[in-house]
Amino acid sequence: MLQKLRKKDQKGFTLIELMIVIAIIGILAAIAIPNFLSYRTRGQNSAAQSEAKNFYNAAMAYFADADSSGTVATADTSIGAYVDDPNVDGTGTITDNNDGTVTAAGVTFSHTSSTTVYTVANNGNLTITTP
């Protein structure tokens, strides 16, 4: 059928062939772009969650060292010393009570490009808040 649309010495693609290729590319883009955005958001949330867990673990290690000297220690996320990723914001403090427990006061982590906030509890568990 396409041979009927072309003259014998003409080369190239017909308008119909070009329109079909553009339609296929459009369909593939419509499927791929939302998936890409979903993957990116999940990656950003995983980075914030990882920073929250790492901060809690680093604070516990710090307290284990400080307990041997008998002093009360406080780890503060606002200093940024425990947060490796510059795109993750962390606030709050974890305080060693010197009785085997800790108090996590307002310890939250979130990625700058995400609305999900992770709150660290006294036992190290994370609570997710999504507005």
Side-chain angles (χ1 to χ4, degrees):
M1 168 149 176
L2 292 176
Q3 298 301 329
K4 292 179 183 178
L5 297 175
R6 293 185 187 166
K7 295 181 182 175
K8 282 196 170 216
D9 58 348
Q10 285 186 335
K11 296 180 181 177
F13 297 104
T14 64
L15 181 61
I16 294 172
E17 291 170 328
L18 292 174
M19 288 175 55
I20 290 172
V21 168
I22 290 172
I24 291 172
I25 291 172
I27 291 169
L28 291 175
I31 293 170
I33 290 173
N35 286 338
F36 170 74
L37 296 176
S38 169
Y39 296 145
R40 187 177 66 172
T41 302
R42 279 193 292 179
Q44 292 166 345
N45 290 339
S46 293
Q49 187 176 13
S50 174
E51 289 292 339
K53 288 179 181 179
N54 288 341
F55 172 73
Y56 183 81
N57 291 334
M60 293 303 107
Y62 176 72
F63 295 150
D65 288 342
D67 280 346
S68 62
S69 64
T71 60
V72 176
T74 299
D76 190 354
T77 60
S78 62
I79 297 170
Y82 298 103
V83 181
D84 294 330
D85 190 345
N87 295 318
V88 175
D89 295 328
T91 59
T93 59
I94 296 179
T95 305
D96 185 4
N97 299 326
N98 272 344
D99 61 358
T101 63
V102 296
T103 302
V107 180
T108 60
F109 286 84
S110 64
H111 194 277
T112 55
S113 300
S114 177
T115 57
T116 303
V117 177
Y118 295 94
T119 304
V120 180
N122 292 342
N123 61 0
N125 291 338
L126 298 179
T127 316
I128 302 170
T129 307
T130 306

